Amino acid sequence: MRCTAALAVLAALTLVLGGCGGGDSEPSPDTPAPAKKPIRIGTKNFTEQFILGELYSQALEAKGFDVEPKGEIGSTEITHRALTSGSLDMYPEYIGILLSEIADVTDRPGSTAAAYKLAKAYEERRNYTLLEPTPFSNVNALAVKPAYARRHKLRSIADLKRLKGPLRLAALPEFRNRYEGMIGLRDRYGLRNLRMTALEDSAQRYPRLDSGKVDVTVAFSTDGQLVGRRYRLLSDPRGVFGAGQVAPVIHRDVLKAHGPGVAQAIDAVSATLTTNVVRRMNKAVEIDGRKPAQVAKEFLRSHGLVG
Amino acid sequence: MLQRIRRTFAEEQRPQYSFSTPTRQERSLLRTLRTRITTRVVALAAAAAVLIGLALLVLIVAVSGQRKAAETAFASQDAVSVANDLEKSLISIENALGRYVATRQEKYLVPVRSALRTYPKQQNELARLVSDDPGQQQRVRQIGGAIDDYADLWVRILIDIVRQDGFGKAADQIETDGGRSRLDPIRRNFARLFERERTVIREREDSAASMSQLAINFGIGGLGLVFILATGFTIYLRRSVVRPVLEVADATGRVAAGDLATRVPSDRVDELGDLARGFNSMADTLQRGRDELEYSNAELMRSNAELEQFASVTSHDLQAPLTTISMYAELLERRRAPEADGEGPDLVEGIREATQQARALIRDLLEYSRAGRGRLTLEEIPAAKIVDQALEALAGAIEQSGAHVTVGEMPTVLADRANLCRVIQNLVGNAVKFTGDKTPRVRIDAERDNGLWRFSVRDNGIGMKPEHTARIFEPFHRLHGEEEYPGTGIGLAVCQRIIDQHGGRIWVSSNPGQGSVFQFTLPAVEPPAERSQPNRGAPVRAKA
């Protein structure tokens, strides 16, 4: 009993003295680092996001990081809250959507770089940050069938106001209450004749348009379906739809915990993602029916980003 | 010489037996082999115990397996039940969340919050119930992770959107069916989990039924085995143990009945063989003893006959010369009486008295040698008549001594008239003779003593010490000198022979100066009753 008490006192003294002397010292290189939690990477609920999630996850894993994919979380509103609630560590976000739907910035910045800077500043105020943006830009757009465009002489979104009667629009539900959605279209183009049909799945957009159930659909500029000339995108001269570059949003503590390798690996992937590349990968999944994981793996291999 | 001749004769006549004592090596071998029956019984019991033990072991294993299978089946049923509840909780969360967003009524949020609090416990319980199935454990972990994602990445966030952005934005999210899309894979996993658990339940039920059948089969088999073993053991014991023992017991009965030639088979080399050999050895010993006894009896009887013949012949043959001597002594006394100088007659008298004494002695000896030898003529006779005859024969002595003889009630007895009269006469004669200075008083009685009549002759004579009461029945044994009380000492010996020959017993109880009571027994004459009754009407006779 006495021996145990003596050992306890000795251990306590060791801890106190160690604490006093080592306040400013770095941890010893021999000290094993505490086990790091896996990096939880989320994605939104459509094909391009699935591919991006796989690209970033596989690239990080190739660099030896432990990754926990959390795919198909939902729209930006859901996914960003998952990030801020601590359920996610990062996810790829579109800068324009981030500004308009999260940061409530409705005035469009003058350039893509300005938008990125603004969005990054917003996230960093909340202890998050944006990694490097992708070269490709995936902006929201409105698409119609070419025949329909010719018949109604449609070139831009503003031309839709000339059409009489209700315009049937296919979009994901969140489009209804977004500025980059029905609100912005009414606000900037005065489109009061749009009747939105909410879709449960983004994959239903083009079939609805093809079958004539809707007149217009919301498109992503990188949709694989846009390869070829089957659909016509209407221009957005009044800038309802913002910058479409993707920048991964990540918690700064994660970057600190895992070191600079995380950002380097993700940025290396982002730098390779041009519009054509992304559109081809989207096509491979949506039209050719391939798995996002396989498509991402092939791409990373072809760019030497995984072994 | 005679003894040597007899020993030789005995050895020649003694039967020779073939029974031989086992050698040391044979005894050692027998000791080794003796344990065979014990070994066989122990081996049989051990084999039975092992077989029954094995049957019980399999039974226990089967029952344990059945129990374990039942427990697993119950656990699977519980797992299905808990998983069902968990799935219902998720569906109720999704439904309530949809209603909450659609109706904007807080009440719908209550079950959502409640379910969010309780589902981790259900998850843990489910994990515990499938802890014996790695595949199911993995599935439960997947389900748990998906449910956590559903709760964290959908339910809580949607509630947060309502709080911060209003119901409109939340409704947009509901429209995307994001919750359903998360629940569907969970429910598919639940379906696989249910399928697996139902398979487990079916398998366990089949296993339990199989184990149960196995247990029943082994139970029946065990009972059958016990029955067969018990029957076999009984048959074995009956054939190998009981039957030989019964044979020995039967042989023992025959030996007890006198058939000493009985033997039992003794070729077995076990304990029962030992028993049989021991029995045969005992029978040999008994037979040898009986043969020797019979031989000794024959020798004794022959010797007695020779002696009695010798005594009879001797006493008879001595009578004639003694009679002649006595006669010549009388003639000499008669012829030489006038010339005698006074001493002649005394000398001749001495010769005559000695001769008479020798004659009396020889007569008594002859009487004793004849007593009990002849064939008895038994007849039912009233004892009173015999007593009367005896008293009449003693009338002179009684009268001379002034004795007072009384006779009680006498029964009818089965006896030889002459011999019984001699017994009464001897006993009463002694009672009258050994009186000392007193006036003799003699009492004769008879009493019933079980199946006998006990006669007693009581006197008030000189009596005797108790230690002499047995020896006075020996021939020629006398307690007093010839001068004091004349006689040869043969009377009581004769009485004893006669009573013995009648199957009775004679004895005396006495003390010096207090008289004596001689008693003897005779068989009673049974019905007709009146004959066995004492002669009530007979008067008590007294002789003075």
Side-chain angles (χ1 to χ4, degrees):
Chain A
M1 197 64 169
R2 284 180 192 167
C3 187
T4 309
L7 284 174
V9 169
L10 185 62
L13 281 172
T14 306
L15 285 173
V16 168
L17 291 173
C20 291
D24 299 330
S25 65
E26 292 295 326
S28 165
D30 297 334
T31 307
K36 293 172 183 172
K37 292 180 180 176
I39 301 169
R40 296 165 297 174
I41 299 177
T43 65
K44 298 201 275 188
N45 55 348
F46 51 92
T47 302
E48 187 173 285
Q49 283 281 311
F50 304 155
I51 295 169
L52 290 172
E54 287 293 338
L55 287 169
Y56 293 135
S57 295
Q58 291 184 24
L60 284 172
E61 284 176 337
K63 295 294 181 185
F65 295 101
D66 195 8
V67 174
E68 184 181 344
K70 296 272 187 184
E72 205 174 356
I73 292 172
S75 65
T76 294
E77 290 83 350
I78 298 284
T79 311
H80 196 272
R81 273 193 170 76
L83 179 76
T84 56
S85 69
S87 298
L88 289 180
D89 295 320
M90 68 161 278
Y91 79 98
E93 185 53 284
Y94 301 90
I95 295 170
I97 296 290
L98 178 62
L99 286 174
S100 64
E101 305 309 321
I102 304 300
D104 287 333
V105 177
T106 54
D107 293 333
R108 293 285 174 244
S111 66
T112 302
Y116 173 74
K117 190 177 177 183
L118 191 62
K120 187 172 184 179
Y122 172 78
E123 291 295 351
E124 288 187 346
R125 283 200 297 275
R126 305 168 68 183
N127 202 27
Y128 298 94
T129 189
L130 295 186
L131 300 181
E132 289 301 311
T134 60
F136 85 90
S137 174
N138 178 9
V139 292
N140 281 350
L142 296 184
V144 294
K145 298 285 284 182
Y148 186 82
R150 281 195 299 275
R151 188 164 63 247
H152 296 288
K153 298 179 180 168
L154 300 176
R155 288 182 179 275
S156 74
I157 295 173
D159 296 334
L160 293 174
K161 194 175 179 183
R162 290 188 282 106
L163 299 180
K164 301 221 172 128
L167 276 174
R168 295 168 299 172
L169 172 67
L172 292 172
E174 64 264 24
F175 196 79
R176 181 181 290 119
N177 290 308
R178 280 185 177 177
Y179 191 83
E180 282 200 23
M182 293 295 286
I183 295 172
L185 290 174
R186 286 194 196 103
D187 183 36
R188 298 205 175 186
Y189 292 103
L191 294 177
R192 308 289 178 194
N193 53 351
L194 287 176
R195 297 291 180 268
M196 193 188 106
T197 300
L199 303 176
E200 292 181 1
D201 187 352
S202 63
Q204 297 172 347
R205 292 170 299 154
Y206 293 101
R208 290 287 179 105
L209 190 62
D210 292 340
S211 65
K213 289 182 179 175
V214 295
D215 304 312
V216 185
T217 186
V218 174
F220 307 143
S221 61
T222 53
D223 280 342
Q225 288 85 347
L226 299 179
V227 176
R229 296 181 179 274
R230 292 181 61 200
Y231 306 99
R232 177 170 291 178
L233 292 180
L234 301 178
S235 63
D236 178 21
R238 297 175 190 170
V240 170
F241 301 114
Q245 280 87 358
V246 169
V249 190
I250 190 166
H251 203 295
R252 295 171 81 177
D253 291 345
V254 174
L255 289 177
K256 284 180 189 170
H258 291 272
V262 173
Q264 288 167 4
I266 293 173
D267 289 345
V269 173
S270 297
T272 62
L273 299 176
T274 62
T275 300
N276 285 337
V277 162
V278 173
R279 192 174 278 177
R280 276 202 304 275
M281 286 195 284
N282 283 341
K283 176 179 175 292
V285 174
E286 287 199 341
I287 297 174
D288 302 339
R290 300 184 64 197
K291 298 286 184 189
Q294 187 60 34
V295 171
K297 189 173 185 179
E298 288 175 3
F299 174 80
L300 291 173
R301 271 188 184 163
S302 67
H303 287 74
L305 295 171
V306 299
Chain B
M1 184 66 181
L2 182 60
Q3 287 179 345
R4 198 172 63 195
I5 292 170
R6 283 179 179 171
R7 267 202 306 274
T8 306
F9 177 77
E11 284 168 5
E12 286 173 355
Q13 295 298 313
R14 187 174 293 139
Q16 300 297 312
Y17 299 97
S18 59
F19 180 80
S20 60
T21 307
T23 64
R24 179 179 295 178
Q25 287 181 336
E26 286 172 342
R27 281 199 300 272
S28 173
L29 178 63
L30 285 174
R31 269 199 302 276
T32 306
L33 298 174
R34 184 176 298 154
T35 55
R36 284 190 59 189
I37 194 164
T38 306
T39 307
R40 274 179 275 169
V41 170
V42 170
L44 276 173
V50 167
L51 286 173
I52 292 168
L54 282 174
L56 284 175
L57 187 65
V58 174
L59 192 63
I60 289 168
V61 169
V63 170
S64 299
Q66 184 188 10
R67 187 178 171 186
K68 191 174 180 183
E71 285 174 356
T72 309
F74 288 144
S76 290
Q77 286 171 350
D78 289 345
V80 168
S81 174
V82 170
N84 241 326
D85 291 344
L86 185 54
E87 189 180 12
K88 284 178 185 170
S89 293
L90 296 178
I91 293 169
S92 70
I93 288 174
E94 185 63 19
N95 291 338
L97 197 62
R99 288 195 196 96
Y100 168 64
V101 173
T103 63
R104 305 187 177 192
Q105 293 181 20
E106 283 287 328
K107 69 177 182 182
Y108 289 112
L109 214 49
V110 174
V112 174
R113 293 191 192 286
S114 171
L116 286 176
R117 278 196 303 273
T118 56
Y119 88 83
K121 290 180 187 171
Q122 292 173 304
Q123 251 177 241
N124 292 337
E125 176 65 7
L126 185 58
R128 186 186 68 77
L129 289 169
V130 300
S131 60
D132 60 340
D133 187 337
Q136 289 292 74
Q137 276 185 307
Q138 174 68 18
R139 188 163 287 128
V140 168
R141 275 197 295 274
Q142 287 174 355
I143 290 173
I147 293 175
D148 288 341
D149 283 352
Y150 170 73
D152 295 338
L153 301 177
W154 175 252
V155 180
R156 292 193 174 94
I157 286 175
L158 206 62
I159 294 170
D160 195 36
I161 287 174
V162 170
R163 294 277 183 269
Q164 294 190 14
D165 300 330
F167 283 98
K169 288 255 183 185
D172 292 342
Q173 301 303 323
I174 292 286
E175 268 191 273
T176 64
D177 236 359
R180 296 279 172 197
S181 65
R182 286 191 175 280
L183 286 182
D184 284 347
I186 296 173
R187 295 187 68 185
R188 283 195 293 276
N189 245 343
F190 267 125
R192 285 192 282 272
L193 184 138
F194 291 145
E195 182 55 35
R196 171 65 189 153
E197 289 302 323
R198 287 188 188 109
T199 304
V200 168
I201 290 170
R202 279 196 301 275
E203 285 173 355
R204 297 308 181 197
E205 283 174 349
D206 291 347
S207 172
S210 156
M211 288 291 183
S212 176
Q213 189 59 46
L214 187 66
I216 290 169
N217 290 344
F218 266 90
I220 293 171
L223 283 175
L225 185 64
V226 168
F227 177 75
I228 291 168
L229 287 174
T231 306
F233 199 62
T234 304
I235 291 171
Y236 171 75
L237 283 179
R238 184 173 172 74
R239 286 184 179 172
S240 299
V241 179
V242 176
R243 190 175 293 171
V245 168
L246 287 176
E247 283 176 1
V248 173
D250 184 51
T252 305
R254 290 201 299 276
V255 168
D259 181 9
L260 296 184
T262 300
R263 297 292 183 274
V264 293
S266 60
D267 52 347
R268 294 176 62 134
V269 283
D270 53 22
E271 293 88 337
L272 291 172
D274 291 348
L275 176 65
R277 281 184 288 278
F279 172 82
N280 289 343
S281 174
M282 177 195 73
D284 287 343
T285 305
L286 285 174
Q287 190 171 26
R288 189 164 59 240
R290 191 174 73 172
D291 290 347
E292 286 176 350
L293 190 61
E294 283 177 352
Y295 170 78
S296 299
N297 278 341
E299 277 291 289
L300 194 58
M301 287 177 71
R302 188 174 62 82
S303 175
N304 282 341
E306 284 175 355
L307 284 173
E308 284 172 357
Q309 183 69 21
F310 174 75
S312 178
V313 168
T314 303
S315 56
H316 182 269
D317 291 350
L318 283 175
Q319 284 277 13
L322 283 173
T323 303
T324 305
I325 292 170
S326 178
M327 188 178 68
Y328 278 116
E330 280 185 21
L331 287 174
L332 185 63
E333 184 182 18
R334 220 177 280 159
R335 287 178 186 175
R336 293 181 60 118
E339 301 108 26
D341 55 2
E343 288 183 0
D346 292 337
L347 292 173
V348 174
E349 181 63 21
I351 292 169
R352 195 177 60 83
E353 285 181 358
T355 305
Q356 285 178 343
Q357 189 179 353
R359 288 181 63 190
L361 191 61
I362 289 167
R363 186 187 65 241
D364 288 349
L365 182 63
L366 186 61
E367 183 183 358
Y368 176 73
S369 69
R370 287 174 179 167
R373 287 183 62 199
R375 190 184 183 91
L376 290 179
T377 305
L378 294 176
E379 56 184 326
E380 293 178 17
I381 48 176
K385 286 186 177 180
I386 304 300
V387 171
D388 284 346
Q389 285 179 11
L391 293 180
E392 281 178 11
L394 292 169
I398 292 170
E399 189 172 353
Q400 188 178 355
S401 64
H404 184 76
V405 180
T406 58
V407 181
E409 292 186 356
M410 291 290 117
T412 297
V413 294
L414 186 66
D416 184 285
R417 182 186 298 267
N419 282 316
L420 181 58
C421 184
R422 187 172 301 153
V423 169
I424 300 290
Q425 194 174 330
N426 284 352
L427 294 178
V428 173
N430 283 345
V432 171
K433 183 165 67 177
F434 296 99
T435 56
D437 299 332
K438 298 176 187 173
T439 299
R441 301 184 71 86
V442 181
R443 171 74 185 181
I444 304 170
D445 285 302
E447 289 179 13
R448 188 64 183 250
D449 186 359
N450 292 325
L452 303 170
W453 282 106
R454 179 162 48 82
F455 290 82
S456 62
V457 178
R458 183 185 303 272
D459 64 50
N460 61 341
I462 58 174
M464 67 193 84
K465 293 178 181 178
E467 58 265 30
H468 293 150
T469 54
R471 296 189 62 191
I472 61 170
F473 291 100
E474 294 174 2
F476 306 114
H477 186 84
R478 292 172 54 84
L479 298 178
H480 309 282
E482 176 70 20
E483 298 79 13
E484 198 175 356
Y485 295 102
T488 60
I490 204 74
L492 288 176
V494 170
C495 288
Q496 188 175 39
R497 275 200 163 189
I498 292 171
I499 295 301
D500 285 348
Q501 200 175 14
H502 277 79
R505 189 168 73 87
I506 186 167
W507 71 97
V508 62
S509 48
S510 178
N511 277 303
Q514 297 179 8
S516 302
V517 180
F518 284 86
Q519 297 179 85
F520 63 89
T521 58
L522 287 175
V525 176
E526 291 307 325
E530 60 271 16
R531 288 192 305 186
S532 64
Q533 293 299 318
N535 299 326
R536 295 178 187 277
V540 175
R541 289 167 293 250
K543 304 283 183 184

